Amino acid sequence: MKKFIVILVLCFVGNSFSLHAQMGKRTYVNQTEIGLMNYGFIPIQNSYSFLTMHGLKLTESWELGLSSGVEKYTADEYEKFWVLPFNVAGRFILNPHKRTTFYSGLDAGYGFAGLNSTADKVWNNTVTEKDRSFEGGLRFHPHVGWRWKVGAERTFISLSIGYQFQQIKQERSKFRHIINEYLYNSVDNYLHERVTYNMGRAVVKVGMGF
């Protein structure tokens, strides 16, 4: 499953470059960003994002395309998730002919969770979690920012702030310590549970595009 997802991402990027060659410089647009996500400005909650958007310039101000990449979320002190996002991405550029301009955007789609390890968790020679599985979920990212043109006419750097939501579902069997010796031998020591993480994060991103 992991290999399939990686191949899918590579195909997406390759097709985007093919689209660039076919459509020419006038209509093809690209924006690649790295970002820092956080919940409540707590350093231990830092999460990270890398996304690239490939699309078409519909008008002077409107751009529409697809974006994908990889992200790492910290849900709490112990739970961390890898996500492969696939989005429909839209951009509105307020003053496209000016050297600096305000812009806004919205990315919405689905985040796949296939890169997360399903191996048992072991601590102090005890299996604390087993039967682990992950499922992705819906995601959206509204944001606003600023673009600066540099060098060539179409090349720019960008800075944006926004909100990002990603849902991840996890199933697992967690070890529960039972003190009573009779109960210890008569009940299952593992409690099966299904947890849904609705992760909302403030996000700051820097990027480059053309």
Side-chain angles (χ1 to χ4, degrees):
M1 180 62 179
K2 294 180 182 179
K3 292 182 179 179
F4 171 76
I5 295 175
V6 171
I7 292 172
L8 194 61
V9 172
L10 293 176
C11 289
F12 172 82
V13 174
N15 287 336
S16 298
F17 281 111
S18 175
L19 178 64
H20 176 32
Q22 294 174 19
M23 299 305 298
K25 294 182 178 180
R26 290 185 300 173
T27 55
Y28 173 80
V29 292
N30 167 266
Q31 185 179 17
T32 300
E33 299 174 291
I34 57 174
L36 175 66
M37 301 180 286
N38 195 276
Y39 173 75
F41 302 100
I42 304 172
I44 200 172
Q45 293 276 1
N46 283 345
S47 303
Y48 306 96
S49 172
F50 172 81
L51 285 179
T52 180
M53 175 250 194
H54 303 272
L56 299 175
K57 182 180 286 295
L58 302 181
T59 68
E60 290 296 327
S61 293
W62 288 97
E63 300 172 356
L64 182 66
L66 300 175
S67 66
S68 183
V70 63
E71 294 175 335
K72 186 176 183 179
Y73 288 85
T74 301
D76 52 41
E77 186 176 353
Y78 305 102
E79 295 296 340
K80 302 180 187 297
F81 304 106
W82 288 97
V83 173
L84 283 173
F86 285 87
N87 307 296
V88 175
R91 303 287 186 268
F92 173 76
I93 297 86
L94 184 61
N95 297 301
H97 298 294
K98 291 188 176 181
R99 197 150 192 88
T100 63
T101 181
F102 170 87
Y103 80 97
S104 61
L106 174 64
D107 294 12
Y110 190 90
F112 293 89
L115 290 181
N116 294 285
S117 173
T118 58
D120 295 345
K121 281 189 174 183
V122 180
W123 182 81
N124 199 23
N125 296 322
T126 299
V127 178
T128 58
E129 287 187 18
K130 63 179 184 177
D131 303 326
R132 289 156 44 87
S133 64
F134 301 87
E135 181 182 339
L138 297 177
R139 54 180 285 113
F140 59 88
H141 169 47
H143 55 281
V144 295
W146 203 259
R147 286 184 176 186
W148 295 265
K149 290 183 180 179
V150 294
E153 179 65 23
R154 298 179 65 244
T155 304
F156 64 86
I157 58 175
S158 62
L159 173 66
S160 69
I161 59 173
Y163 172 81
Q164 186 151 307
F165 173 84
Q166 173 69 60
Q167 185 181 82
I168 292 290
K169 298 176 182 178
Q170 181 184 20
E171 287 195 44
R172 61 196 178 193
S173 295
K174 294 189 69 175
F175 179 79
R176 51 182 177 179
H177 183 67
I178 301 175
I179 299 177
N180 186 289
E181 184 176 351
Y182 171 76
L183 290 177
Y184 187 87
N185 294 322
S186 61
V187 302
D188 188 356
N189 295 328
Y190 290 89
L191 176 66
H192 186 79
E193 59 184 11
R194 180 179 176 88
V195 183
T196 298
Y197 292 91
N198 294 311
M199 298 177 289
R201 299 290 185 268
V203 57
V204 177
K205 292 186 177 183
V206 293
M208 188 171 185
F210 52 85

